[in-house]
Amino acid sequence: MKAILVGTDFSEESLVALEIAVDIANKLECDIKVVWVQREKLLIDDATQRVMVNLAESKLRDMCAEHQPKMKYGTIRWEICKGKVAPVINREARHNNSPMVVIGANGASGFEKYWMGSTAVRIVQEAPVPVLTIRRGFDFHKPLERIVVPLRVNINSRQKVSPAANMAKLFGSEIHILGLYDDNGQQNELQIYIKQATDLLDREGVPHVTEIREYSNYSDTVLEYSEEIKADLIVINTEQDRIISQLFLGTNAQQIVHNSQLPVLCIHPSDIVSISK
């Protein structure tokens, strides 16, 4: 059975990530695999390393035991892997046929600091599947009612509408299409993009609303709108194709991942994704 891949450093954010992963796994009827990555530490002796691994094993067992009763269909398993965090997480996502990776966007626990900034970005850049990033303090008990999907005149922009629609169908959510332009000459073409997106949502039976705004700062406008409507999720793409995005996530995508207090679902434009049963 396919398994959602959850990367953990035992920070508050990664614990919330597991809670959300359980909710999604129940909708998808799939398993969860929790991974902690043991990195080589040149300044720590072998005995200290063993203590850290033993502590990680204990924490992983407790986490999985606590959350297993919440699983309606699948199981939660765990594994300790060695290596660099981003390549390990993405390798495990491939091996486990994961529909998505769920991680804390900026973990910082007393135990370890694995997901700080650049590591989360690397995971998003290189992941073979969509990546859901979670911030500390997000209320995962709140229903996933409103999903923001920003659209602008960009060849890749519309590709995130279909996976967003799949998420909306799983959770009974409403899609908010946010049309954005920074040049008045783009408005007619933007209207075409929005019409194509809403036609797809109509076919899928997903409720939706639209809003069009001019922007000077793309990420700020997306985040401000999401706050205004009390959104629960933002769906973006990485703005670049797979080869380029391994080197450069895209300024707008990176700013949204770093600054959003909401979960952000990141999708590579070149990916064919299916977040569905």
Side-chain angles (χ1 to χ4, degrees):
M1 183 182 289
K2 61 185 178 181
I4 294 173
L5 203 289
V6 178
T8 188
D9 65 346
F10 309 113
S11 65
E12 180 183 336
E13 285 168 311
S14 64
L15 296 178
V16 173
L18 178 55
E19 294 274 3
I20 293 174
V22 168
D23 197 13
I24 297 172
N26 286 335
K27 301 290 186 182
L28 295 177
E29 300 182 10
C30 69
D31 293 336
I32 292 175
K33 183 173 182 179
V34 183
V35 172
W36 178 74
V37 182
Q38 179 190 2
R39 296 191 293 185
E40 292 185 0
K41 297 181 180 297
L42 300 179
L43 300 180
I44 297 179
D45 58 38
D46 290 344
T48 304
Q49 287 269 26
R50 284 194 295 272
V51 170
M52 290 185 64
V53 170
N54 290 338
L55 180 57
E57 289 179 348
S58 176
K59 286 176 174 285
L60 287 165
R61 279 195 298 268
D62 290 345
M63 287 170 58
C64 293
E66 177 185 353
H67 289 85
Q68 181 59 54
K70 304 173 187 176
M71 295 287 285
K72 296 179 180 178
Y73 303 100
T75 61
I76 305 178
R77 59 188 187 273
W78 58 269
E79 184 174 351
I80 293 176
C81 301
K82 291 185 178 180
K84 295 183 178 180
V85 177
V88 167
I89 293 296
N90 294 325
R91 180 196 71 205
E92 290 298 310
R94 290 188 184 91
H95 288 175
N96 290 275
N97 191 27
S98 300
M100 71 170 60
V101 171
V102 185
I103 58 171
N106 196 24
S109 68
F111 186 81
E112 187 50 278
K113 298 181 180 180
Y114 275 3
W115 314 111
M116 291 296 288
S118 61
T119 302
V121 168
R122 284 286 304 279
I123 293 170
V124 171
Q125 287 171 335
E126 300 171 8
V129 296
V131 179
L132 183 63
T133 60
I134 310 296
R135 284 276 176 197
R136 178 181 299 138
F138 174 71
D139 182 7
F140 56 85
H141 295 297
K142 183 181 183 296
L144 187 64
E145 296 177 336
R146 288 173 286 275
I147 300 175
V148 172
V149 181
L151 286 183
R152 58 178 176 161
V153 178
N154 178 296
I155 190 171
N156 296 319
S157 184
R158 291 162 291 185
Q159 295 187 20
K160 57 182 171 282
V161 177
S162 181
N166 287 335
M167 284 289 286
K169 287 192 290 184
L170 285 174
F171 289 92
S173 312
E174 181 180 67
I175 295 283
H176 287 248
I177 297 291
L178 176 61
L180 295 168
Y181 67 93
D182 61 354
D183 182 336
N184 287 331
Q186 298 175 336
Q187 291 191 57
N188 289 338
E189 190 171 0
L190 178 61
Q191 290 283 5
I192 295 173
Y193 277 42
I194 292 172
K195 179 65 163 54
Q196 292 170 340
T198 56
D199 284 349
L200 183 151
L201 295 175
D202 285 337
R203 290 194 301 271
E204 296 293 329
V206 176
H208 55 84
V209 297
T210 61
E211 173 84 10
I212 297 177
R213 295 191 179 185
E214 185 177 9
Y215 72 92
S216 56
N217 184 298
Y218 178 88
S219 59
D220 284 352
T221 304
V222 171
L223 295 176
E224 287 167 5
Y225 175 75
S226 301
E227 183 177 355
E228 285 176 21
I229 68 165
K230 295 180 171 53
D232 304 294
L233 175 69
I234 302 172
V235 179
I236 64 171
N237 57 34
T238 58
E239 306 172 3
Q240 308 292 339
D241 64 27
R242 166 87 40 207
I243 295 175
I244 296 174
S245 66
Q246 289 181 353
L247 301 175
F248 180 66
L249 176 59
T251 301
N252 292 321
Q254 187 163 329
Q255 288 179 355
I256 290 173
V257 169
H258 278 311
N259 296 324
S260 176
Q261 297 304 306
L262 301 174
V264 179
L265 182 63
C266 303
I267 297 164
H268 288 283
S270 58
D271 289 344
I272 300 175
V273 299
S274 179
I275 304 171
S276 58
K277 291 184 181 180

